[in-house]
Amino acid sequence: MHRTRQISRRSMLKVSGAAVGAAAAGGAVGAVGAGPAAAAGAFAHPGLLHTRTDLDRMAAKVRAGAAPHTAGFARLTANRHAQSGWQARPQAVVYRGSGTPENYSLLYNDIHAAYQNALRYHVTGESAYADTAVAVLNAWSAALTAVNGSADRFLAAGLYGYQFANAAELVRDHGDFELARFQEMLSKLFGAVSDDFLVRHNNAVVSNYWTNWDLASMACVLATGVFCDDRAQVTRAVDYFKHGAGLGAIRNAIPVVYEDGLGEWLEAGRDQGHALLGVGLMGTFCEMAWNQGIDLYGYDDSRFLKGAQYVAKWSLGGQVPFTANTRRKGAVGGWSGSETVTAAAGVDPSMTRPIWAMIANHYTRRRGLSATYVTQIAAKAAPEGGGGDYGPNSGGYDQLGFGTLTFTRDRASTASPAAAGSAGAASPSASASATAAATATAPAPASVSASASASASAAGKGGDLAATGSGDVVAWTTATGITALAGGLLLLRRRARGGQ
């Protein structure tokens, strides 16, 4: 098929004034090709979840009738959001949260329509899909003035901000796309709100909000920084991933690594749905960073892989170790309380989200490592769909999806993990065996800064914080002793091989 494009096929590197590679953000560029942003001072565009190489690979695989890409593309074309006749329903103000006139479903449905149409354009070359995506994005940037609501407004800003950026990144060079206006909207209404959450946490104690709250905001800040060519934003997001006080920072999200190589995911003690959301968001964050030359997948001896393996095994119905914890909650200068979790929550092995293809392909295809449980659950979830394929409620739209189409790649000829990260962090092992990646690792250091978050649906006790339980703090305790962590908030009982 002849492919007509309105979006330029040039490299589209946008100068931002200073390098955003490993040196700028404290990351490391891997020998397996971490990130196309090679030139000093440059961001790669497109360069969030998908690069030009990725988009060309998808199109070539579908044209060639290659599996499983064709199955993934079939899921895309069958989705009602991926049709060129989609009509946007922009609002001046978007509300999310109890006590507000909620209308945020209009926003996330339109974002997924823009993303799916843009993706379909890049595979087929048919301009009607790009035109539809641009029309949806332009309509919203012309109308939207605020994202409001209860504490859930921070979830809306984070989730829909990173998704908006990814949809727009795919058509940023379209002749009709209002790039500057969209950048202004994204920066002021989404990026700024998410940035503020990471600093102030809605005036709650830092441990009040669960991992996924931080990760949604982190993804938005990173995506906004790349889309708007804002090096400072990118740097802040990456630094928070490594050293942040909240539960989205990697050593707080995965506070314990066991001798069998599994890394306990903090929200496994909460419920399966939120744990899957968190893993998907951290994977999204790592992928977007990777495409700008920053290796977070391999950070701290591939700690994210260990956490993903834990959640995958647990979600498949396997037994996983668990370290009991108590989480303190509360508002700054207000009410306070605590919550103790003693075991991983129950799971439904049939529950799935379109998050696994991205993670499995990175570790097994790019890096040549073993990821046994992640690989198993990715195969079970394939071919992955997207927004609209996982139920009508907001949870079915938390990920952009279609990973079977977008992330399935051939195995890299050189599977050499990235070089060492920032000072003080364990570097990924360049010679790690497939078995070692899934099994053998020393327990995680106990010096992790604390943070936790309240359930999005939990009943609270006071003011605006009550709407999502956002008036909550953390103290992790156990019977065998207490290890104080940074800030004096998080206390953990360490067990080399703990049962449930």
Side-chain angles (χ1 to χ4, degrees), residues 107-116 136 160 163-164 167 400:
L107 175 59
Y108 65 66
N109 274 281
D110 277 359
I111 290 174
H112 282 257
Y115 173 77
Q116 292 179 26
V136 171
Y160 311 136
Q163 293 176 359
F164 242 155
L400 290 168

Side-chain angles (χ1 to χ4, degrees), residues 115-144:
Y115 173 77
Q116 292 179 26
N117 271 274
L119 194 59
R120 191 167 180 178
Y121 161 71
H122 279 285
V123 174
T124 67
E126 297 177 39
S127 60
Y129 299 112
D131 294 343
T132 297
V134 168
V136 171
L137 297 171
N138 283 347
W140 277 94
S141 68
L144 190 63

